[in-house]
Each structure stands twice: as C-alpha cells, then as structure tokens.
Amino acid sequence: MIYIATFFSHFGATRFKRYCDSLGIPAQTMPVPRGLSSSCGTCTKFETQQLPDYGKHTDELEKIAAVTDNGFETVYESEV
C-alpha cells in the first residue's frame, strides 16, 4: 500500500524519509498533494505492507494517509 506522511516541518519529512530508507522501505520526499493539507508543504511518500513504528516521529508528524482509488484515507492524525 502507498502512504503519504505530512509533517509540521521540512526537517520532519526529511528525517522520516531517512528512517524509511534505514528500514528498506521505498520512500521519497515531495510536495504535498492538493487533497491533503500540511504545515510545511513537504511530505514523504512511501510504500509498505505494514506501517513502520513512527512513535519517535510523532512530534513532527502531522498525519499519515493511505492512497486509495478515491483519494486519501487518514490512518493517523496528530492530536496537536
């Protein structure tokens, strides 16, 4: 499944991309699609069958959305 993670800062997106790389999860940073909002405008798109443990990134993580045929489905959203 393809996911898009949005962040409160560009640094968060870059750091999460490196984290995905370290786990062998294909990932890339890119501008946030129009269907999602983001504080910084940069997201990380990644593909995996099981979401990684993103607990240490929760201060920077705004939301994670699954890419679906109908757009996006939020699977995690920050409470901030």
Side-chain angles (χ1 to χ4, degrees), residues 45-62:
K45 179 180 177 182
F46 61 102
E47 187 171 354
T48 184
Q49 296 303 316
Q50 183 177 357
L51 285 173
D53 176 18
Y54 47 85
K56 69 180 183 179
H57 299 278
T58 54
D59 290 347
E60 301 161 350
L61 187 57
E62 181 182 24

Side-chain angles (χ1 to χ4, degrees):
M1 176 154 281
I2 297 173
Y3 297 94
I4 295 179
T6 62
F7 300 86
F8 295 111
S9 70
H10 178 75
F11 175 75
T14 302
R15 185 172 173 218
F16 189 78
K17 192 249 189 246
R18 283 190 219 143
Y19 176 63
C20 288
D21 290 345
S22 75
L23 296 175
I25 297 172
Q28 67 183 49
T29 56
M30 58 185 251
V32 176
R34 289 184 188 255
L36 298 173
S37 65
S38 174
S39 297
C40 74
T42 303
C43 68
T44 300
K45 179 180 177 182
F46 61 102
E47 187 171 354
T48 184
Q49 296 303 316
Q50 183 177 357
L51 285 173
D53 176 18
Y54 47 85
K56 69 180 183 179
H57 299 278
T58 54
D59 290 347
E60 301 161 350
L61 187 57
E62 181 182 24
K63 83 169 69 166
I64 294 179
V67 178
T68 68
D69 292 338
N70 299 323
F72 305 100
E73 181 183 329
T74 301
V75 296
Y76 169 83
E77 190 159 11
S78 172
E79 295 181 12
V80 175

